[in-house]
Amino acid sequence: MIPAVADIDTVQRWLTESQRVAVLTGAGISAESGIPVFRGAGGLWQQHRPEELATPEAFARDPRLVWEWYDWRRTRVAAAEPNPGHRALAQLERHVPELTLITQNVDGLHERAGSRRILRLHGDLWTLQCTGCGRQDRNTDVPLNELPPRCRCGALLRPGVVWFGEALPVEVLQQASTAAETAQVFLVVGTSALVQPAASLPFTARAHGAHVVEINPEKTTLSRYADVSFLARAGEFLPRLLQLRH
Ligand code: OAD
């Protein structure tokens, strides 16, 4: 379906008139960089069971297996480049007085595209965290030298991501909620909007009066609640939508 020009004009006007804009992104924004999404055809959760790879119990049972999967994902992301969708959002930071980019992604492609103010709800593939002393370090080696990697204190290191059954970082979630409550426009890009608490942020924004705009080639559970839902691929469509007047 081709997005209606009238809708594009309306959303551009909302964006140019806004002081505060928030964006929630999911795996779909990185799809055009060649990073697989989680759900649906070809999604990671069709090949793997989340509970075997992305839970604290899985790590306790078989840290090497979990690390092999994360090492594979890190290698894949390291070979990828940010796409025009990531870059358009980085540009948007220059047009909007207060832009908050909230991402569920752990790939670091928003940073590499130049976005500065990023709230990472699910952590970061490039942070390693010690299960013993709690030390956190940035590590970009691909592949890792040792699987599973160990801290200097001798304990196992784990990926600095949020697994199923774990709480999100409290302060990050608080900031994301505040951004949703105060945004005048809330963009939702490339997420199935199924995983809580991220999925509730667009509803918080809407309840506080924001215009909610979705960009996703597929309909989601959010689509019928959004003010405008563009059925489009982020990398193709965001550069067009976000061509804003100064
Ligand atoms: P999903 O895999 O659930 O959803 C990806 C969404 O991206 C789908 O709605 C697709 O239709 C859409 N999509 C695909 N290609 C796109 C494109 N080119 N442009 C825009 N959208 C596109 O991924 P998330 O919603 O991010 O959590 O999943 C949320 C969380 O569930 C992840 O952070 C991860 C996962 O399990 C953890 O691992 C804790």
Side-chain angles (χ1 to χ4, degrees), residues 25-29 31-32 37-39 45 54 70 104-105 122 162-164 189-195 215-218 220 232-235:
T25 63
I29 186 132
E32 284 153 272
V37 297
F38 291 95
R39 295 172 184 79
W45 295 151
Y70 278 94
Q104 299 165 85
N105 298 347
H122 293 165
V162 176
W163 281 326
F164 288 100
V189 185
T191 177
S192 57
L194 290 171
V195 174
I215 295 107
N216 194 314
E218 310 275 337
T220 71
R233 282 150 56 102

Side-chain angles (χ1 to χ4, degrees), residues 28-106:
I29 186 132
S30 296
E32 284 153 272
S33 295
I35 310 295
V37 297
F38 291 95
R39 295 172 184 79
L44 290 169
W45 295 151
Q46 290 217 316
Q47 299 148 41
H48 309 280
R49 286 151 53 113
E51 61 274 21
E52 276 168 17
L53 292 168
T55 62
E57 293 76 19
F59 188 70
R61 193 166 51 235
D62 194 343
R64 190 182 164 91
L65 175 73
V66 171
W67 262 118
E68 277 170 1
W69 189 61
Y70 278 94
D71 200 36
W72 170 79
R73 286 178 63 194
R74 284 162 56 101
T75 307
R76 187 132 187 189
V77 171
E81 293 293 334
N83 67 55
H86 297 106
R87 286 198 286 273
L89 290 176
Q91 290 277 342
L92 187 65
E93 249 181 40
R94 302 199 193 127
H95 291 270
V96 175
E98 229 180 282
L99 181 89
T100 307
L101 177 56
I102 307 162
T103 189
Q104 299 165 85
N105 298 347
V106 294

Side-chain angles (χ1 to χ4, degrees), residues 1 6 23 41 70 75 113 142 147 153 165 182 199 245-246:
M1 194 193 292
V23 187
Y70 278 94
T75 307
V142 283
L147 288 186
C153 77
T182 56
R245 295 171 290 276
H246 282 279

Side-chain angles (χ1 to χ4, degrees), residues 144-161:
L144 284 161
N145 295 328
E146 183 196 10
L147 288 186
R150 287 192 179 271
C151 179
R152 336 185 157 127
C153 77
L156 283 178
L157 291 165
R158 59 163 281 178
V161 301

